[in-house]
Amino acid sequence: MANKKLRIIPIGGLGEIGKNMTVLEYGRNMILVDCGVMFPESDMYGIDLVLPQFDYVVQNQDQLRGIVLTHGHMDHIGGLPYLMRQIKTTIYGTGLTIGMVKRQLEEGKVIQQANLQVVQEKSSFQLGPFKISLFPVAHSIPGSVGLVIDTPVGTVVHTGDYKLDETPAGGQTTDLKRLKKLTPNGVLALLADSTNADRPGRTPTERVVSDELDRLFAEAKNGRIIIATFASLLARLQEIINLAQKHGRKVALTGRSLVENVELARDLGYLKIPNGLLVDIDSRVPDKKLLILSTGSQGEPRSSLNRMAQGEHRQIQVKKGDTIIISGGTIPGNEEEVGRMLNKLFERGANVIYGKLANIHVSGHGSRDEMQIMLETVKPRYFIPVHGETRHLHLHARIAESMGMSSKNVFILNNGATWSSDGEKAWLDKPIPAVDVLVDGRLVGEVGAMVMQDRQRLSQDGFIVALIPVNSRNKLVGEPEIISRGFVQTNGSTDLLQAACKEIKQYFKHGTNVAHDNVRDMLQNFFFRETQSRPVVLPSIIRV
Amino acid sequence: MANKKLRIIPIGGLGEIGKNMTVLEYGRNMILVDCGVMFPESDMYGIDLVLPQFDYVVQNQDQLRGIVLTHGHMDHIGGLPYLMRQIKTTIYGTGLTIGMVKRQLEEGKVIQQANLQVVQEKSSFQLGPFKISLFPVAHSIPGSVGLVIDTPVGTVVHTGDYKLDETPAGGQTTDLKRLKKLTPNGVLALLADSTNADRPGRTPTERVVSDELDRLFAEAKNGRIIIATFASLLARLQEIINLAQKHGRKVALTGRSLVENVELARDLGYLKIPNGLLVDIDSRVPDKKLLILSTGSQGEPRSSLNRMAQGEHRQIQVKKGDTIIISGGTIPGNEEEVGRMLNKLFERGANVIYGKLANIHVSGHGSRDEMQIMLETVKPRYFIPVHGETRHLHLHARIAESMGMSSKNVFILNNGATWSSDGEKAWLDKPIPAVDVLVDGRLVGEVGAMVMQDRQRLSQDGFIVALIPVNSRNKLVGEPEIISRGFVQTNGSTDLLQAACKEIKQYFKHGTNVAHDNVRDMLQNFFFRETQSRPVVLPSIIRV
């Protein structure tokens, strides 16, 4: 009896945008929905990626019946190469999603751990006690689906990322009819995308973007067109390719992820490119017949567009007459990098179109009115907003409450929370550990809070290591030496460092307490007094 | 004859938003327009402020006839406490501006260096060969003016910060009629604010904000209202005070800069507050009768609102029922900090209204249509867009060109460029040095590019100092010791550091070349091989 309950445990994606991952359990059966990564916030110094904490899944892998993926974006699949180092299982997804996962797992050298299963966008399949049925959703990558999961105690709906665009790129709308048909007996719990819960109204249709691009292409006249977008916005890429064809331009690609994604999506039939349209980046196509599709909408230092901005791109020199279009929103935290890149592109004489200057980007996530329609369609007994920072979850919850849901039936959860239900009541059991796991180069999880604090401090004021040679009676037996980086300019600061050495000598002459911590405090006080800065101070007392 | 030319030298504010400062010279006469600071970008690790480079002004101070200020915001006056350490001069500005400067100079203990002169918003005065006439402009602080500067070779117009709001807070519109009347003989050069050159249309009027706040105040019902805004948006503060009065709420202030600014502006008659409306933050006013005005719209760590979010504010505990309104745009680079603060405020149960959820902020700068109107009004022979990053300057320039100005007459300058004119022609002379001067604690200008690079690297991967005791024949005479911070967790990484010590021993056993740089390279390679990270590596070879 104790096992006759459903448990839903978000391991990632709550209180954050990224690393989406949810556990569903019934008895001794577990499935996962998605397994994403998060890109680090700008105060996560030196961190390449953030993973969900996999411990609970790894410990219970004998109960795992499979992983179901909603779509092929990194915040939904990017954790798999790391998880699959530790487990073996079957992974289910639509064609493009599985294609992208396959490439990821091959690069991570863990492909042999996974049994990859392609499922159709309107299929159903059974994983232990869970019956999974997919319904197509409109999002910025083809093959995106939401999930209806029938469990012994009731039906759970997980929207994945979606919007209710009625004229989306690629034509795939969110199939609310199928969703309705799949849930004839009502829905126990809805987990729904909260990303845009602070945007009023509806997200504009992708149609707006293609109309605007059409207009801009016509205005570009005899110059080249260079468009930067996310390599993963495959629906947008299809629009751009169609428009290039219409305007008689060949398309050249630059940027590794873009080239790879286009090839993959084309091979799998998700991207339709007329023969002869794609040309090599080195081809001698006249400017007025050329469109260059590039990565770098976020100003990433090594991206193609940023290399063009810096004058470091091997094949492309930006020049007067070029029209450069940034067709991708700026992810919070990237504003300064994007701004610097734009400045450089303008300096090179290009006509750069970005941000509010034209309607060249729309979000792939639904806004507040769409969230309301989803809630009306599903009419869940319980509602768990997912995919969002805390503010988005709260605002999404309030939409539900404003529609008459009792706040007792709306659960704003943290990662690791264990939502449990017997099909009637719902409650929270003891949470599981679900913290951020930081990836730094080859180090996974080894860089913790203390290192991050040190990096923060080092970034502000640098460090001072003081080498102090003493004899067994703690008397100085030579000149102290100071090693420093990131504190003050070495040239201009010789006086300061000499004064510090003098201070050390004084201290060892008079000081009776020459324990490491006392020497450190003495030096910290000295430097703060002199500069009002607090470098990391590490005395090294060397006994000779 | 060689001196019969006008020189305009922007020392700050071009290619950046902030530290606005312009030199005008004729013969041996110099005046300055504004003297601002810039807040550091997020990759300026550990930097508190950025100043313009004052060298040219200091070297030529015998020619300086005075400093004219357009308004009292920090990006126009914040550099004065630093400049006035090095020179003595007269500073001209309207009442509130001079009031704010006075406080700044007193805090910087340089008030005796300055002769402060209050001038009326429609006055004229002579500084050497320059006749300065002010015209009122609408901006987000009262007492803002633009400048008409008559010189022997022609008239220069400097807009300062402005927008063409026809129903601004405080009622001061931009007086284009006076501007027109002050320039009967045409304008040689226009220097105009480019901040919003990437925003189409017109900046919405402040009236939109007060209407929306009015509505939100009514909806707040029995709870407290907490509004965060910039302490310097004095026009907005006036609106909020008027609305508080209308809705029967007392106003309490929290945040040092806010308290100081309100007091100053009220004393000088720029802020009208009915007697009895202001109450102490500790007063026992019922929630429904209280409005709290707070600093912290940018999520600054020590600001009042952020302390409330963290639960660390001494007098105010945020609770369910509170309506919190963030009435200030987010400065690029602050998005993540603001986001985190909002999350915490939601967690405490408040109804938080921010960003696009309501029209609660408008910019103080005019948008593209307003720039066009300014250009039409002034019809300058030469145009120098100022106050903006490179992209803004270019976009502003193109507005002028689209109106028929020849691109030869539009000058997109860098800081330090020397624009020269004899009243007919205009050309660029040799530029002067005008780089960023970094302020870090008490250190002004001592922290340079090398230190910034080191901080960047330390922030990413930390450092390793290896103490290697050798004898006179470069043989190891003891155990190497490694000191490290910010690299990897010390517990989990003992193995790695021990392996590094082993590597050092091997190297000194076999290595013939034990010069410092070779040892460093060897260790750098070792750590990169093991971790794919590049900590700063500093071997210290100790001869004993």
Side-chain angles (χ1 to χ4, degrees), chain B residues 228-229 231 254-258 293-297 300 303-306:
Chain B
T229 188
T254 175
R256 192 176 74 104
S257 55
L258 186 71
L293 204 45
S294 171
T295 53
S297 65
E300 307 93 323
S303 68
S304 279
L305 188 60
N306 208 19

Side-chain angles (χ1 to χ4, degrees), chain B residues 197-270:
Chain B
D198 55 5
R199 300 207 192 169
R202 286 183 77 124
T203 301
T205 168
E206 274 281 334
R207 181 65 174 275
V208 167
V209 175
S210 48
D211 289 353
E212 189 85 336
L213 290 176
D214 196 8
R215 185 179 69 77
L216 293 171
F217 281 23
E219 282 178 7
K221 295 191 181 121
N222 293 326
R224 292 186 297 191
I225 297 172
I226 301 172
I227 304 193
T229 188
F230 294 100
S232 58
L233 279 191
L234 280 160
R236 184 78 45 82
L237 299 185
Q238 181 70 66
E239 286 171 40
I240 294 170
I241 284 161
N242 296 348
L243 285 168
Q245 169 86 346
K246 175 180 167 185
H247 288 267
R249 287 180 185 258
K250 301 287 183 187
V251 175
L253 306 174
T254 175
R256 192 176 74 104
S257 55
L258 186 71
V259 171
E260 287 180 356
N261 280 359
V262 166
E263 190 176 282
L264 181 70
R266 191 184 197 183
D267 285 353
L268 296 172
Y270 282 92

Side-chain angles (χ1 to χ4, degrees), chain A residues 12-24:
Chain A
L14 271 69
E16 63 199 3
I17 304 271
K19 67 177 172 79
N20 298 294
M21 183 171 181
T22 311
V23 166
L24 276 85

Side-chain angles (χ1 to χ4, degrees), chain A residues 49-317:
Chain A
L49 279 180
V50 186
L51 297 177
Q53 185 174 3
F54 297 138
D55 298 10
Y56 185 81
V57 176
V58 172
Q59 283 153 19
N60 297 288
Q61 56 182 298
D62 57 311
Q63 303 177 25
L64 183 61
R65 304 289 161 252
I67 302 176
V68 185
L69 303 174
T70 59
H71 62 285
H73 280 160
M74 289 301 283
D75 54 337
H76 292 259
I77 68 166
L80 287 171
Y82 298 89
L83 177 61
M84 298 308 288
R85 291 181 192 177
Q86 301 182 66
I87 65 164
K88 285 190 177 200
T89 194
T90 305
I91 301 174
Y92 301 83
T94 59
L96 183 60
T97 307
I98 291 296
M100 299 190 83
V101 167
K102 184 159 175 274
R103 199 179 63 202
Q104 292 273 320
L105 297 184
E106 279 166 356
E107 279 176 11
K109 300 196 172 65
V110 288
I111 186 73
Q112 72 291 346
Q113 300 280 94
N115 173 20
L116 300 180
Q117 290 290 331
V118 172
V119 287
Q120 298 308 308
E121 276 146 37
K122 295 188 182 182
S123 60
S124 295
F125 50 98
Q126 196 79 28
L127 297 179
F130 301 105
K131 183 185 171 202
I132 321 285
S133 303
L134 313 184
F135 61 98
V137 298
H139 186 47
S140 43
I141 184 169
S144 295
V145 294
L147 311 177
V148 174
I149 305 172
D150 289 315
T151 81
V153 302
T155 299
V156 175
V157 172
H158 192 308
T159 65
D161 289 356
Y162 77 97
K163 59 176 177 170
L164 300 182
D165 195 336
E166 280 158 21
T167 51
Q172 178 175 295
T173 55
T174 297
D175 195 341
L176 293 180
K177 267 193 198 152
R178 179 169 160 82
L179 169 57
K180 200 79 204 159
K181 218 171 101 187
L182 286 168
T183 54
N185 303 315
V187 171
L188 177 65
L190 168 67
L191 286 71
D193 178 10
S194 310
T195 308
N196 281 346
D198 55 5
R199 300 206 193 171
R202 287 183 78 124
T203 300
T205 168
E206 274 280 336
R207 181 63 176 275
V208 167
V209 175
S210 49
D211 288 353
E212 190 85 335
L213 289 176
D214 195 9
R215 185 179 69 77
L216 293 171
F217 281 23
E219 283 178 6
K221 297 195 179 117
N222 293 326
R224 292 186 296 191
I225 297 172
I226 301 172
I227 304 192
T229 187
F230 294 102
S232 59
L233 279 191
L234 280 160
R236 184 76 47 81
L237 299 185
Q238 181 70 67
E239 285 172 42
I240 294 169
I241 285 163
N242 296 349
L243 285 168
Q245 169 86 347
K246 174 178 169 189
H247 289 267
R249 287 181 185 256
K250 301 286 181 187
V251 176
L253 306 174
T254 175
R256 192 176 76 104
S257 55
L258 187 69
V259 171
E260 287 179 355
N261 280 357
V262 166
E263 190 177 281
L264 180 70
R266 191 185 196 182
D267 284 352
L268 295 172
Y270 281 93
L271 203 54
K272 269 112 196 139
I273 309 179
N275 285 330
L277 191 77
L278 282 188
V279 294
D280 194 83
I281 193 83
D282 287 319
S283 317
R284 300 195 153 274
V285 177
D287 288 355
K288 65 175 176 182
K289 296 279 182 199
L290 183 61
L291 180 144
I292 297 167
L293 203 45
S294 171
T295 53
S297 65
Q298 300 303 304
E300 306 93 322
R302 302 305 309 148
S303 67
S304 279
L305 188 62
N306 208 18
R307 280 186 281 133
M308 293 180 216
Q310 305 290 339
E312 293 169 358
H313 195 287
R314 261 189 266 169
Q315 289 105 352
I316 307 161
Q317 282 76 46

Side-chain angles (χ1 to χ4, degrees), chain A residues 11 16 19 38 41 44 50-53 415 434-438 445 447:
Chain A
I11 294 186
E16 63 199 3
K19 67 177 172 79
M38 185 164 66
E41 298 200 24
M44 292 183 174
V50 186
L51 297 177
Q53 185 174 3
N415 288 333
V435 299
D436 286 349
V437 173
L438 307 180
V447 171

